[in-house]
Amino acid sequence: GQDSRRGQLALEDIVREGRDSSLQRMALYLLADARRDAAQEEAFRSFLSTLIENPNNPLRDEMLMLRARLRLNEARQEKAIVDAERLLAEFPASQFSNEALWILGYVAWQDRRYRSAADYLQRIRDRLPPGNERNRLGQLVGDCYFSNGDYAIAASVYRSVLQNAPDPERLHVVAYQAIISEINAGRLDEAAA
């Protein structure tokens, strides 16, 4: 099993030497989920780092994302940022690029760098088709600008979301935020409209 050292060695061998990427992926996540003490955690991170540096590894982008998630969970934000940025630079078309942008946006939000967070979220939003998820991200982008005190920009983003038929359950929230943003921007006529 994945909790025994023998099982972990077998799974590591599958990840390192396997030919079937879906089997390698399964073994990788079993290893990541295995319960460990601090020394085993460090050994897993080292194993993962070694595999990431192998240019022939077909799962490098996924491993970068996994390591970024682990680092984020361990409150090692700076290292998570490095992995997310590396994933975006080396694998711009990766299926994990949106998740890397989420990590960068989350860390920026936590650091109160709201404009940076808005930029990362907008990059994700630009990739999405029209719909509720895109509108929800638009609202988050507006919230970032609002939190930064950029009320005119926030109002513009909220209006854009309102024009694209937001989820009816969120409509009143977005409309309220748009009105408050217009008031804070000193544009009372727009707020009244």
Side-chain angles (χ1 to χ4, degrees), residues 111-156:
D111 292 343
R112 297 178 188 259
R113 293 181 293 116
Y114 299 118
R115 279 191 176 183
S116 294
D119 289 342
Y120 292 125
L121 294 175
Q122 186 62 47
R123 286 174 61 184
I124 298 170
R125 184 176 184 234
D126 290 343
R127 297 175 179 191
L128 296 174
N132 286 339
E133 187 176 357
R134 182 179 169 88
N135 286 332
R136 186 177 60 82
L137 273 172
Q139 182 183 349
L140 289 175
V141 170
D143 292 346
C144 289
Y145 285 118
F146 187 90
S147 296
N148 198 56
D150 298 326
Y151 301 116
I153 299 171
S156 174

Side-chain angles (χ1 to χ4, degrees), residues 41-192:
E41 285 289 339
E42 185 56 40
F44 176 70
R45 280 193 299 272
S46 177
F47 171 71
L48 195 57
S49 295
T50 301
L51 293 174
I52 287 170
E53 297 311 319
N54 177 359
N56 298 320
N57 180 347
L59 302 177
R60 281 181 68 215
D61 61 336
E62 191 164 0
M63 289 179 177
L64 277 167
M65 180 51 31
L66 176 59
R67 189 170 70 178
R69 278 190 229 126
L70 291 172
R71 288 175 164 176
L72 192 62
N73 290 339
E74 296 165 352
R76 299 167 71 189
Q77 281 89 349
E78 292 303 316
K79 292 191 179 228
I81 289 171
V82 169
D83 283 341
E85 288 176 340
R86 182 175 173 188
L87 187 148
L88 292 170
E90 293 181 19
F91 305 97
S94 170
Q95 65 178 336
F96 302 101
S97 59
N98 281 355
E99 190 173 349
L101 290 168
W102 270 112
I103 287 175
L104 294 171
Y106 172 77
V107 172
W109 177 270
Q110 293 294 312
D111 292 343
R112 297 178 188 259
R113 293 181 293 116
Y114 299 118
R115 279 191 176 183
S116 294
D119 289 342
Y120 292 125
L121 294 175
Q122 186 62 47
R123 286 174 61 184
I124 298 170
R125 184 176 184 234
D126 290 343
R127 297 175 179 191
L128 296 174
N132 286 339
E133 187 176 357
R134 182 179 169 88
N135 286 332
R136 186 177 60 82
L137 273 172
Q139 182 183 349
L140 289 175
V141 170
D143 292 346
C144 289
Y145 285 118
F146 187 90
S147 296
N148 198 56
D150 298 326
Y151 301 116
I153 299 171
S156 174
V157 173
Y158 291 134
R159 277 195 314 274
S160 169
V161 171
L162 288 170
Q163 291 168 352
N164 291 309
D167 178 2
E169 293 182 17
R170 306 290 306 157
L171 179 64
H172 64 284
V173 174
V174 177
Y176 177 78
Q177 284 300 109
I179 293 166
I180 296 300
S181 297
E182 295 289 12
I183 291 170
N184 287 333
R187 301 187 314 200
L188 300 181
D189 290 339
E190 287 85 346

